[in-house]
Amino acid sequence: MAAGSGAPAESCVGQVVLPGDVLLLPAHPEDDGERLRLGAGAAPRGRLLCGPGLRRCPTGLLVTKCGLLRHRPAGGGAAGAAGGAYWVDSQQKRYVPVKGDHVIGIVTAKAGDVFKLDVGGSEQASLSYLAFEGATKRNRPNVQVGDLIYGQFLVANKDMEPEMVCIDSSGRSSGMGLIGQDGFLFKVSLGLIRKLLAPKCEIIQELSQLYPFELVLGMNGRIWVKAKTVQQTLIIVNILEACEYMTAEQRKQALAKLSGN
Amino acid sequence: MAGEVKTKLSKNLLRMKFMQRGLDSQTKKLLEEEEKKIISEEHWYLDLPDLKEKESFIIEERSFMPCEDLLYGRMSFKGFNPEVEKLMIQMNSKCKEEEIEVDDKMEADVSDEEMARRYETLVGTIGKKFLRKRDQRVLQDEDEDGDSNARPSKKAKKKFLKPQD
């Protein structure tokens, strides 16, 4: 049990961390002394974002998942939290509902005013029929069992059943709701989804040069693809499934073969 | 005798509304506070020391979205679904505000200079509509002084033509 007293967080960035490790944060200003010196204008360091896989503990951050430690330095400007962010990049296939995540759900049951959706978690999520754009008691959305829905979580914690909605806080759908006809739904690991959703993802850029197609990525590991013909759809599906374990060159070779054909 | 012995009124009676109308605001407040104190003594409370709330500058977050700045999940390429493509630009530019300015400039159908020219002439033409008849006449004269001389006969003020018997 060589737990150790903990290592400073900056030195572990990019390395494997295990649950139980303690990461020490740089000494923050202790109460009154330093704060007075900093004066009124200087906000000390902004808020630190403690992401998935990490928890707050009295001395710093406690790791709860194994994986690589990532860090985003402070000063994101409009992009996000002022102040840095730490999180653990881990591989997972099983999805745990998190509030605010956009996911693809499959309708399994209609129970009165509420649809039950399967999102790949331990429980089925519920979706009220009023949570669609322009839905009223008389004007119900046309959703049947077996349909695909793209929505976000409103409530998602370990004590309650997850709830989904298909509108955002201002009442607009902004792309959420029923996903159209045809297309192909398949499942990949959560790490690949995050890789694909990263800004400037090469895989997506290369695929977009091939044919016109439409893609919906759910944070629960589900991807829906639709292209003009069945063959094109299946090609895209196979590439997306395989690209997790291909290197960049292998991927470029495969795509070159396809565009050549 | 009557001056010495004051009939003692009960507390409940004094608490009634009609007895309190004559009181000052201060005495009313005092009475209310006393009542509150009585109630709070009967209520149970936790006798714990006040915990000093630590100012925590660490926010716990269970979602990956803010950490990695992920893009919007719906995508469409090469014009397969134009609405989704519009959405893509809109949602992804919420993170990066530079694109919003570009869009604003491109969306104007009529350029600023054309708008200015239109307004100049528009104000004049609509303004004429609301002039009184005399002023309209004056305007017409001014306009056509600059024109050729072929007009003056028509511009002569129309007098009342007496009907000839």
Side-chain angles (χ1 to χ4, degrees):
Chain A
M1 288 286 276
S5 57
E10 285 120 353
S11 68
C12 298
V13 174
Q15 291 179 15
V16 174
V17 288
L18 297 174
D21 288 350
V22 178
L23 302 171
L24 301 170
L25 293 170
H28 44 273
E30 287 291 334
D31 289 317
D32 306 305
E34 293 197 26
R35 234 179 262 161
L36 290 173
R37 253 198 284 139
L38 286 170
R45 282 188 303 113
R47 300 189 154 258
L48 189 71
L49 198 65
C50 160
L54 292 173
R55 240 187 232 185
R56 213 166 48 195
C57 78
T59 49
L61 296 174
L62 185 66
V63 178
T64 52
K65 271 197 194 160
C66 45
L68 294 169
L69 184 69
R70 302 279 187 215
H71 173 57
R72 192 190 64 204
Y86 283 100
W87 70 94
V88 175
D89 196 1
S90 60
Q91 279 289 37
Q92 218 179 306
K93 285 185 108 176
R94 188 80 180 166
Y95 178 67
V96 173
V98 167
K99 181 176 168 172
D101 263 2
H102 294 259
V103 293
I104 298 180
I106 307 176
V107 180
T108 53
K110 268 164 109 172
D113 293 341
V114 146
F115 302 114
K116 289 285 182 204
L117 297 171
D118 166 36
V119 290
S122 54
E123 271 192 40
Q124 300 204 327
S126 73
L127 170 63
S128 162
Y129 75 94
L130 289 171
F132 290 83
E133 188 179 14
T136 58
K137 286 193 184 166
R138 299 228 178 127
N139 178 18
R140 292 175 177 234
N142 184 16
V143 170
Q144 307 301 326
V145 172
D147 283 348
L148 295 176
I149 297 209
Y150 187 63
Q152 65 178 351
F153 281 110
L154 187 67
V155 167
N157 51 41
K158 61 183 168 82
D159 304 313
M160 290 165 60
E161 176 194 50
E163 265 181 51
M164 278 180 62
V165 286
C166 289
I167 49 173
D168 62 9
S169 52
S170 57
R172 287 175 302 188
S173 66
S174 54
M176 295 188 276
L178 199 58
I179 298 179
Q181 296 289 320
D182 308 326
F184 191 90
L185 180 79
F186 61 103
K187 191 166 180 340
V188 292
S189 72
L190 307 188
L192 179 63
I193 298 276
R194 290 201 315 264
K195 210 159 81 173
L196 292 172
L197 280 175
K200 297 185 190 160
C201 171
E202 290 177 359
I203 308 172
I204 298 273
Q205 281 175 355
E206 286 168 18
L207 271 179
S208 63
Q209 310 296 324
L210 274 184
Y211 341 96
F213 67 99
E214 194 188 342
L215 187 66
V216 178
L217 297 156
M219 294 289 287
N220 53 346
R222 291 187 182 160
I223 305 183
W224 180 84
V225 180
K226 181 175 172 183
K228 281 195 182 142
T229 66
V230 175
Q231 198 188 25
Q232 286 179 356
T233 311
L234 289 174
I235 290 174
I236 298 174
V237 166
N238 285 327
I239 294 180
L240 285 172
E241 277 181 335
C243 70
E244 193 174 2
Y245 299 113
M246 283 204 285
T247 63
E249 285 129 22
Q250 287 172 334
R251 198 176 62 230
K252 283 178 189 161
Q253 279 176 8
L255 286 168
K257 259 196 260 175
L258 281 167
S259 51
N261 285 354
Chain B
M1 274 270 275
E4 287 177 25
V5 181
K6 276 187 185 168
T7 47
K8 280 190 186 161
L9 297 169
S10 65
K11 264 191 212 163
N12 284 334
L13 198 57
L14 287 171
R15 246 182 250 157
M16 289 194 182
K17 261 289 177 165
F18 66 88
M19 296 296 286
Q20 296 198 350
R21 279 178 208 148
L23 290 178
D24 302 334
S25 57
Q26 273 190 356
T27 39
K28 272 189 199 171
K29 277 183 199 169
L30 283 172
L31 282 173
E32 277 175 25
E33 276 169 24
E34 278 176 27
E35 279 201 40
K36 278 183 196 169
K37 275 185 201 165
I38 294 167
I39 291 171
S40 64
E41 274 173 17
E42 288 171 355
H43 281 204
W44 290 19
Y45 61 92
L46 287 172
D47 193 11
L48 292 174
D50 279 334
L51 289 171
K52 200 171 64 169
E53 213 183 273
K54 285 187 213 165
E55 188 190 301
S56 56
F57 59 95
I58 306 178
I59 313 172
E60 267 190 22
E61 176 74 52
R62 281 180 55 220
S63 157
F64 277 103
M65 299 280 279
C67 294
E68 296 182 9
D69 281 338
L70 300 176
L71 297 174
Y72 188 60
R74 278 195 97 142
M75 305 181 189
S76 155
F77 301 105
K78 295 203 167 176
F80 194 78
N81 191 337
E83 291 166 7
V84 176
E85 299 208 351
K86 264 191 246 166
L87 258 178
M88 273 170 76
I89 302 174
Q90 197 191 349
M91 299 295 278
N92 293 333
S93 71
K94 272 184 195 170
C95 310
K96 300 153 196 171
E97 286 159 4
E98 307 146 13
E99 296 194 49
I100 294 177
E101 293 166 13
V102 173
D103 278 349
D104 280 348
K105 282 182 192 160
M106 295 207 315
E107 274 176 27
D109 288 328
V110 182
S111 74
D112 294 338
E113 290 132 359
E114 251 195 72
M115 277 297 280
R117 261 183 273 138
R118 276 285 174 87
Y119 260 118
E120 271 176 1
T121 52
L122 197 67
V123 167
T125 37
I126 302 262
K128 275 192 213 165
K129 213 168 108 177
F130 297 101
L131 290 177
R132 293 178 298 158
K133 263 204 170 160
R134 289 206 178 165
D135 296 339
Q136 279 181 358
R137 177 100 4 201
V138 169
L139 259 181
Q140 274 185 351
D141 283 344
E142 280 177 6
D143 277 347
E144 280 150 24
D145 276 348
D147 284 355
S148 58
N149 296 328
R151 296 263 176 147
S153 52
K154 281 189 188 171
K155 283 301 132 178
K157 214 170 183 179
K158 287 187 187 161
K159 287 184 189 168
F160 175 65
L161 288 173
K162 204 169 177 182
Q164 293 170 354
D165 293 327

